[in-house]
Amino acid sequence: MFYTSRAVIVEGKYDKIRLSSFIDALIIETDGFGIFSDKEKREFIKKTAREKGLIVITDSDAAGFKIRNYILNLAKNADIINVYIPDVFGKEKRKAEFSKEGKIGVEGMSTAALEEALKKSGFFEEKENSSDSSPITNADLFEAGFTGGENSAQKRRDFLSFLGLPSRLTGQTLIRTLNSFLTRDEFFEKIKEFCGEIK
């Protein structure tokens, strides 16, 4: 059982039920896009963010990222940890049809996948010290062929899938996420595993 004094933000009640099985924490639902029109809940989240800090776990589809970004802006001065689930294609048992993007959400993720996502957030598992203390940079992404080159977007998406991260991660969000659970040396080691040594 994981424990955190932070509040955990999820999209819906089934996500809350799923996480409650192995996370001991205050879990707050956004009711999907309902947060956009629920002033009382917005104020509650802002207050909780200031007093406790937040962990945000949403689905890896466009809707999930929209809700995540809304929460980040809503509580922008608070201490927030982002947890990203991987892109897994399929259908939740509870639902009759696939989601719009065909991806499984938080409620459909295995416990192992969710625990791994929590560890990758850098909060539940401390990153070991490394002799290379410099962070992963945009220049490193360019050198790896993940930005600014032919087919770089697809290469980046494939690499994120290899790491078990959502393919929608880009820009500084991508940099922050990679630095939260990989040292720079580990980043290049993962690249070697993924596509061989960079020439």
Side-chain angles (χ1 to χ4, degrees):
M1 178 72 79
F2 286 112
Y3 167 78
T4 176
S5 61
R6 296 169 184 259
V8 178
I9 305 294
V10 297
E11 292 182 48
K13 69 176 182 179
Y14 292 102
D15 299 333
K16 181 176 181 178
I17 292 169
R18 183 74 187 85
L19 293 179
S20 294
S21 66
F22 65 94
I23 297 179
D24 179 9
L26 168 65
I27 302 178
I28 303 170
E29 310 158 37
T30 68
D31 297 317
F33 290 149
I35 189 65
F36 300 161
S37 57
D38 191 336
K39 183 178 179 180
E40 185 176 349
K41 180 162 285 188
R42 289 199 304 271
E43 290 304 314
F44 175 59
I45 289 175
K46 287 166 68 174
K47 181 177 185 296
T48 304
R50 287 193 304 269
E51 295 177 356
K52 297 171 67 72
L54 299 180
I55 295 174
V56 182
I57 310 175
T58 62
D59 295 350
S60 62
D61 58 8
F65 269 76
K66 185 173 183 178
I67 293 168
R68 179 189 297 274
N69 289 334
Y70 185 82
I71 295 297
L72 297 182
N73 286 325
L74 184 68
K76 58 185 175 184
N77 295 320
D79 186 8
I80 300 174
I81 289 175
N82 282 291
V83 176
Y84 297 99
I85 65 170
D87 288 333
V88 176
F89 293 89
K91 181 179 69 67
E92 276 101 352
K93 295 177 181 179
R94 180 181 63 84
K95 298 179 180 177
E97 299 179 355
F98 286 81
S99 67
K100 186 176 181 180
E101 294 182 25
K103 297 177 183 178
I104 291 177
V106 171
E107 69 170 273
M109 284 285 142
S110 68
T111 299
L114 289 170
E115 289 181 346
E116 182 65 19
L118 289 170
K119 290 174 182 178
K120 284 180 178 178
S121 74
F123 177 71
F124 290 96
E125 185 174 272
E126 290 295 325
K127 187 167 59 177
E128 294 181 3
N129 292 327
S130 169
S131 58
D132 179 7
S133 60
S134 58
I136 301 162
T137 65
N138 283 316
D140 294 328
L141 294 181
F142 179 81
E143 180 184 348
F146 299 144
T147 61
E150 186 177 356
N151 298 322
S152 60
Q154 186 59 53
K155 291 176 184 176
R156 183 176 64 250
R157 286 192 291 267
D158 291 342
F159 182 62
L160 288 170
S161 178
F162 171 76
L163 294 177
L165 294 170
S167 61
R168 286 182 177 275
L169 289 180
T170 58
Q172 290 307 305
T173 301
L174 171 59
I175 292 289
R176 286 195 300 269
T177 302
L178 291 174
N179 277 308
S180 73
F181 74 97
L182 290 175
T183 65
R184 191 164 179 268
D185 283 344
E186 290 167 344
F187 170 69
F188 283 106
E189 285 299 318
K190 288 294 183 183
I191 291 170
K192 290 177 186 177
E193 292 177 27
F194 172 64
C195 59
E197 186 115 27
I198 297 175
K199 303 300 182 182

